[in-house]
């Protein structure tokens, strides 16, 4: 299937082969990482299998979930075990294999705290279970204790049980989570890779391909956001990768007798020579580029006619200089609006230094003339900006 995709992309036809200028590994990178965003079929299939894993966790009452749960003898179990036996179907084998790859994306939202393991489950904003972050070994009998064991309905978190072996960052993550309560219902699985906690194929695919995904660079956003024909964007994409089929490249592939520029015949036709440094091309640029910008435009990275072995990074930066435009941001002044006569206004806000990061919340009450009546501030711990906003709406929490 992927072979058919590659052939279609480069324009193969019956009996005719075309050059593949960019590797398939690069093409399957996200747009912001220099690829075309084409999905790898194996990882995409695993992402759909991961959706089945998620369905078994989040919707155990569905008919198909009940069939699998009863077939593999998990009925009545508080936690599902994704383990395949020799007699299991190929589908169950595939689900169990994928589970090991995506389990890191599954976390827990604390309700009663009676199902989630304090030390071994992912229930805080940390990337690892608390057991892996502890500064000393956690006793075996404590590893299976649930979150509700470490909290008290009246006192909140029982810090003396764990604060001496966890780093401060983990303690701040815990501080930002409301303590368990039976009133909040059962603990619920959440998908940690989306902002709303719901599973998505896109985020699962990103998790499965994160080890082979390259670093994002601004030049690729410049290329794909440039306002112009798609054909020109594709040309800029090839240019930024340094993959234009010039005579220099054609000679290396034994497709041309010479590497000389066909226009000037004086220099090797490298990429920047072809698009900028050739004397005939230079005259065209002079008619387009303002005279005041000639020096910067033609001297960037030196004369490529003299040193034509330019690097890909040089090409990317030069392309960005040539084709970047306005970022489209708009500035708008905002101001506080007083409430109507006889009313007071409560304004709250929450913020985090990083997302997640050290977070705080606060609020102020003012009358119709803007006079301060009351207010509050609260240190939350480590949380996302969204969670900080929710704490601000909830209001201050005072110890009994």
């Amino acid at each position: 299937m992927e072979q058919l995709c590659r052939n279609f992309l480069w324009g193969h036809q019956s009996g005719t082969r075309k050059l593949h200028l960019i590797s398939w590994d690069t093409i399957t990178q996200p747009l912001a990482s220099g690829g075309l965003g084409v999905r790898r079929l194996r990882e995409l299939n695993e992402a759909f299998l991961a959706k089945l894993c998620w369905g078994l966790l989040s919707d155990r009452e569905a008919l198909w979930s009940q069939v699998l749960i009863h077939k593999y003898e998990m009925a009545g179990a508080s936690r599902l075990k994704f383990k395949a036996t020799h007699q299991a179907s190929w589908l169950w084998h595939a689900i169990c294999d994928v589970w090991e790859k995506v389990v890191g994306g599954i976390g827990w939202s604390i309700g009663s705290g009676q199902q989630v393991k304090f030390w071994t489950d992912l229930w805080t904003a940390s990337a690892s279970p608390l057991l892996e972050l502890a500064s000393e070994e956690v006793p075996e009998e404590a590893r299976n204790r649930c979150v509700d064991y470490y909290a008290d309905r009246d006192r909140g978190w029982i810090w003396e049980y764990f604060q001496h072996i966890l780093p401060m960052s983990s303690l701040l993550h815990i501080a930002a989570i409301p303590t368990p309560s039976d009133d909040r219902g059962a603990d619920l699985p959440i998908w940690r890779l989306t902002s709303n906690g719901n599973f998505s194929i896109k985020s699962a695919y990103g998790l499965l391909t994160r080890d082979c995904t390259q670093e994002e660079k601004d030049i690729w956003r410049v290329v794909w956001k440039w306002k112009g024909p798609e054909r020109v964007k594709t040309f800029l994409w090839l240019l930024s990768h340094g993959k234009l089929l010039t005579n220099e490249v054609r000679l290396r592939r034994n497709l041309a007798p010479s590497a000389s520029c066909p226009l000037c015949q004086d220099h090797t036709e490298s990429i920047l020579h072809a698009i900028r440094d050739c004397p005939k091309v230079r005259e065209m640029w002079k008619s387009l580029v303002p005279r005041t910008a000639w020096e910067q435009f033609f001297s960037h990275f030196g004369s490529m006619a003299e040193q034509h072995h330019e690097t890909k990074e040089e090409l990317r930066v030069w392309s960005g200089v040539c084709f970047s435009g306005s970022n489209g941001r708009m500035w708008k002044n905002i101001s506080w609006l007083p409430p109507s006569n006889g009313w007071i206004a409560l304004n709250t806000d929450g913020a985090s230094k990083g997302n997640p990061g050290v977070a705080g919340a606060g609020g102020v009450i003012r009358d119709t003339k803007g006079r301060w009546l009351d207010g509050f501030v609260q240190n939350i711990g480590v949380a996302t900006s969204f969670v900080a906003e929710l704490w601000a709406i909830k209001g201050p929490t005072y110890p009994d």
Side-chain angles (χ1 to χ4, degrees), residues 25 28-30 40 43 205 208-214:
D25 286 339
T28 54
Q29 295 290 323
R40 299 169 182 261
E43 286 78 5
Y205 178 84
L208 292 165
T209 58
R210 63 181 177 181
D211 292 336
C212 57
T213 299
Q214 299 175 8

Side-chain angles (χ1 to χ4, degrees), residues 54 57 103-109 116 121-124 188-192:
W54 176 255
L57 283 177
V103 66
I106 297 174
W108 291 89
S109 175
V116 180
D121 285 335
L122 289 169
W123 60 279
T124 70
L188 297 175
I190 59 171
W191 185 247
R192 291 160 56 90

Side-chain angles (χ1 to χ4, degrees), residues 30-289:
L31 290 177
S33 298
L36 293 180
V38 178
R39 302 291 178 87
R40 299 169 182 261
L41 297 185
R42 179 182 296 276
E43 286 78 5
L44 183 61
N45 180 61
E46 291 180 340
F48 280 101
L49 288 171
K51 187 175 183 180
L52 295 180
C53 295
W54 176 255
L56 284 169
L57 283 177
S58 60
D59 191 10
R60 295 179 61 171
E61 299 303 318
L63 179 59
W64 71 271
S65 297
Q66 287 293 309
V67 170
L68 290 177
I69 289 171
H70 283 80
K71 180 177 180 179
Y72 296 105
E73 301 177 352
M74 295 183 293
S78 59
R79 300 291 293 275
L80 300 181
K81 295 181 179 179
F82 291 87
K83 292 184 179 179
T85 62
H86 293 296
Q87 295 79 22
S89 67
W90 65 266
L91 175 61
W92 186 249
H93 274 284
I95 290 175
C96 293
D97 290 341
V98 168
W99 171 258
E100 298 299 327
K101 300 179 181 180
V102 300
V103 66
I106 297 174
W108 291 89
S109 175
I110 300 301
S112 64
Q114 297 173 3
Q115 291 179 277
V116 180
K117 307 297 183 183
F118 184 91
W119 293 105
T120 58
D121 285 335
L122 289 169
W123 60 279
T124 70
S126 301
S128 304
L130 296 178
L131 181 64
E132 299 180 10
L133 304 174
S135 59
E136 58 185 63
E137 187 174 358
V138 178
E140 283 291 336
E141 63 272 13
R143 296 186 181 185
N144 288 325
R145 287 173 180 162
C146 293
V147 174
D148 66 332
Y149 178 86
Y150 295 89
D152 182 86
R153 186 179 184 90
D154 299 322
R155 296 169 53 197
W157 294 109
I158 308 176
W159 298 101
E160 55 268 25
Y161 283 4
F162 53 83
Q163 65 179 357
H164 58 289
I165 61 175
L166 288 178
M168 180 56 67
S169 59
S170 297
L171 296 178
L172 291 174
H173 287 150
I174 295 173
I177 300 174
T179 52
S181 171
D182 293 336
D183 299 335
R184 298 173 58 194
D187 303 322
L188 297 175
I190 59 171
W191 185 247
R192 291 160 56 90
L193 306 182
T194 56
S195 58
N196 59 9
N198 294 328
F199 180 89
S200 71
I201 296 294
K202 178 181 178 181
S203 60
Y205 178 84
L207 175 63
L208 292 165
T209 58
R210 63 181 177 181
D211 292 336
C212 57
T213 299
Q214 299 175 8
E215 179 184 1
E216 295 184 1
K217 293 188 177 181
D218 291 339
I219 179 60
W220 305 119
R221 294 187 177 90
V222 171
V223 167
W224 297 115
K225 289 184 178 181
W226 182 75
K227 295 181 179 180
E230 291 296 324
R231 189 180 185 88
V232 177
K233 291 183 182 180
T234 303
F235 172 82
L236 294 178
W237 175 66
L238 290 171
L239 168 64
S240 298
H241 273 296
K243 294 295 183 178
L244 295 184
L245 197 58
T246 61
N247 275 347
E248 183 183 38
V249 176
R250 288 163 58 86
L251 179 65
R252 289 202 302 266
R253 293 175 179 248
N254 295 320
L255 298 175
S258 171
S260 299
C261 172
L263 295 179
C264 66
Q265 303 292 332
D266 292 331
H267 301 283
T268 298
E269 189 189 36
S270 65
I271 292 178
L272 277 180
H273 176 85
I275 65 173
R276 188 194 70 177
D277 290 339
C278 178
K280 295 188 177 181
V281 176
R282 183 181 290 257
E283 293 302 316
M284 182 273 294
W285 280 118
K286 286 183 177 180
S287 66
L288 298 175
V289 179

Side-chain angles (χ1 to χ4, degrees), residues 125 176 350-352 354-357 359-360 380-391:
S352 61
N355 200 30
I380 296 173
V382 171
T384 63
S385 57
F386 177 72
V387 172
E389 295 278 6
L390 293 179
W391 274 101

